[in-house]
Amino acid sequence: MNKKTILSGIQATGSLTLGNYLGALNNWVEMQEEYDCYYMIADLHTLTIRNNPETLKENTLKLIALYIASGLNPEKNTIFIQSHVPAHTQLSWILNCYTYMGELNRMTQFKDKSSKHADNINSGLFTYPVLMAADILAYNADLVPVGDDQKQHLELTRDIAERFNSLYGETFKIPEPYTKKVGARIMGLQNPTAKMSKSSQDPMDKILLTDSPDEIRKKFKKAVTDSENCVRFDRESKPGVSNLMSIYGIIKNKTMDEIEKQFEGQGYGAFKTAVAEAVIERLEPLQNKYNELLENPDKLMAICNKGAKKAEEKANRVLKDVYKKVGLVIE
Ligand code: TYM
């Protein structure tokens, strides 16, 4: 049977948040049985901001461990490091020549990141979505599981692929984003109108996958809600409570209606405690596995080396086809 192909990745910038987990990683785990999955560490994308080289190395290894600790089976998925497969950057250059400045100028993440890093608006930050398009198109991915914030990049990827196909004939599959209705945008705990982000300056705004149970309890206890004291889903007027309900709903596999009924007549105190305990219960085995995996970095590297070999075979086939189509001479 021909399985559909999935590709996705996460940047190696520090510990992941509950947003990364619920919006992306958790869905990846669900997909591993049914699809041919390629999951990479987007280390090249991480270079668009300034990193300490030692920290980047450490974060890359930690992220591999987190992928596996979250439930990705290295036997069933191709797990690899983006920079180990040169086809990504090779294809990216070609796709740059089929992407317009105007398109890149419209990317909200570029505007957002350049305002946050005003002293370092490098051209990598600008062409970042083209490298992401290359990541996806090099595998002819059918589906790309991401959170809501990456959807605009996916649309651009589709536009680039369609443009290339219409110029040179069927070359790339047109990928679809895969997001779930609940969880595609987990919001900050202190500012529930903005997404929970790894780069948030306020530690109380984000739950890290490596937070201790006490930290998690403290952060949920202090999470911003409203004065109604009634657990009811309404993103517009109750963004804080609705966000907590989304988190609880994904972890406990409950609908918003079920959660409203479960906490009827109870105040926010009891609800927040239940959310915190659900998160702790989910993260505890993940953290144990993560710490265990980090004790054996050679094993993690072996998994990635094997993954890169398999990824390279697939990506090189697509790259060769693209070279031929645009008229590059292949030896
Ligand atoms: P990154 O590293 O910023 O985020 C990784 C994944 O986590 C999702 N995410 C969220 N989902 C729900 N709620 C949130 N608060 C939240 N915050 C983050 C993101 O949508 C993403 O799915 N450019 C990408 C990495 C990348 C990539 C790719 C992804 C590089 N190449 C190819 C897919 C395909 C990024 O910076 O994600």
Side-chain angles (χ1 to χ4, degrees):
M1 197 185 71
N2 250 349
K3 285 183 172 177
K4 285 194 169 177
T5 302
I6 299 262
L7 177 125
S8 201
I10 297 181
Q11 287 196 64
T13 41
S15 180
L16 298 197
T17 68
L18 192 62
N20 298 126
Y21 177 71
L22 297 179
L25 255 181
N26 192 40
N27 298 339
W28 300 2
V29 174
E30 286 174 16
M31 297 172 114
Q32 61 185 344
E33 301 295 336
E34 226 182 299
Y35 298 91
D36 184 19
C37 300
Y38 291 80
Y39 293 127
M40 56 165 211
I41 313 293
D43 59 343
L44 294 172
H45 277 106
T46 312
L47 296 180
T48 54
I49 55 165
R50 293 280 176 264
N51 301 279
N52 173 311
E54 277 311 311
T55 313
L56 174 57
K57 252 195 216 167
E58 263 170 40
N59 285 343
T60 301
L61 214 65
K62 284 181 178 171
L63 194 47
I64 304 165
L66 262 183
Y67 278 11
I68 299 167
S70 300
L72 290 183
N73 179 343
E75 298 299 323
K76 288 189 178 154
N77 302 279
T78 308
I79 297 173
F80 66 102
I81 298 174
Q82 182 187 32
S83 64
H84 289 186
V85 183
H88 293 232
T89 38
Q90 291 168 310
L91 181 59
S92 173
W93 168 253
I94 297 179
L95 298 182
N96 264 311
C97 302
Y98 297 85
T99 309
Y100 295 110
M101 301 280 285
E103 288 177 308
L104 294 176
N105 258 326
R106 282 197 290 277
M107 295 295 116
T108 53
Q109 200 157 87
F110 171 67
K111 289 183 205 165
D112 188 40
K113 287 198 177 167
S114 41
S115 70
K116 280 189 190 142
H117 302 277
D119 57 338
N120 181 24
I121 307 175
N122 59 73
S123 55
L125 197 62
F126 189 62
T127 57
Y128 171 120
V130 186
L131 178 58
M132 182 163 160
D135 298 335
I136 297 165
L137 299 178
Y139 297 85
N140 269 322
D142 296 276
L143 283 180
V144 184
V146 282
D148 252 357
D149 61 323
Q150 296 298 324
K151 267 192 166 168
Q152 197 187 26
H153 293 158
L154 249 293
E155 275 157 29
L156 177 69
T157 303
R158 290 164 59 87
D159 290 344
I160 299 171
E162 277 166 6
R163 182 170 305 138
F164 195 95
N165 285 354
S166 73
L167 285 167
Y168 299 104
E170 212 50 34
T171 309
F172 296 123
K173 261 203 190 141
I174 309 299
E176 298 280 345
Y178 177 91
T179 49
K180 289 217 169 148
K181 251 199 192 143
V182 181
R185 187 174 285 265
I186 299 294
M187 312 308 266
L189 298 185
Q190 289 303 309
N191 177 9
T193 54
K195 75 164 183 175
M196 184 183 285
S197 168
K198 276 182 272 191
S199 59
S200 170
Q201 296 299 318
D202 179 0
M204 296 302 281
D205 197 47
K206 56 189 178 189
I207 300 283
L208 299 179
L209 298 187
T210 46
D211 276 347
S212 70
D214 279 348
E215 281 168 319
I216 295 172
R217 283 188 194 104
K218 193 167 93 193
K219 289 180 183 181
F220 277 112
K221 204 169 174 188
K222 292 254 157 66
V224 166
T225 48
D226 52 66
S227 55
E228 197 190 17
N229 212 22
C230 166
V231 178
R232 186 168 62 78
F233 192 79
D234 180 344
R235 273 212 183 281
E236 289 294 304
S237 58
K238 295 168 71 71
V241 170
S242 303
N243 188 40
L244 298 181
M245 289 177 75
S246 302
I247 293 171
Y248 189 74
I250 304 172
I251 293 179
K252 290 288 190 187
N253 201 14
K254 287 188 182 209
T255 64
M256 297 304 114
D257 278 350
E258 286 168 343
I259 300 172
E260 283 177 9
K261 284 206 185 80
Q262 181 183 345
F263 292 97
E264 209 174 319
Q266 298 184 44
Y268 289 157
F271 174 56
K272 283 178 165 179
T273 303
V275 181
E277 294 310 317
V279 171
I280 292 166
E281 194 183 81
R282 172 64 73 92
L283 293 188
E284 210 172 29
L286 188 156
Q287 291 177 348
N288 292 341
K289 182 95 198 273
Y290 170 72
N291 290 327
E292 193 187 303
L293 286 163
L294 278 179
E295 279 171 20
N296 199 342
D298 290 348
K299 203 168 153 195
L300 295 175
M301 279 319 294
I303 290 170
C304 285
N305 291 339
K306 190 171 153 217
K309 282 208 181 76
K310 187 169 167 227
E312 193 161 33
E313 265 174 41
K314 185 154 174 136
N316 279 347
R317 276 201 298 274
V318 175
L319 184 69
K320 207 167 174 184
D321 184 30
V322 171
Y323 272 26
K324 262 199 239 159
K325 294 252 170 72
V326 297
L328 299 180
V329 177
I330 302 171
E331 351 100 75

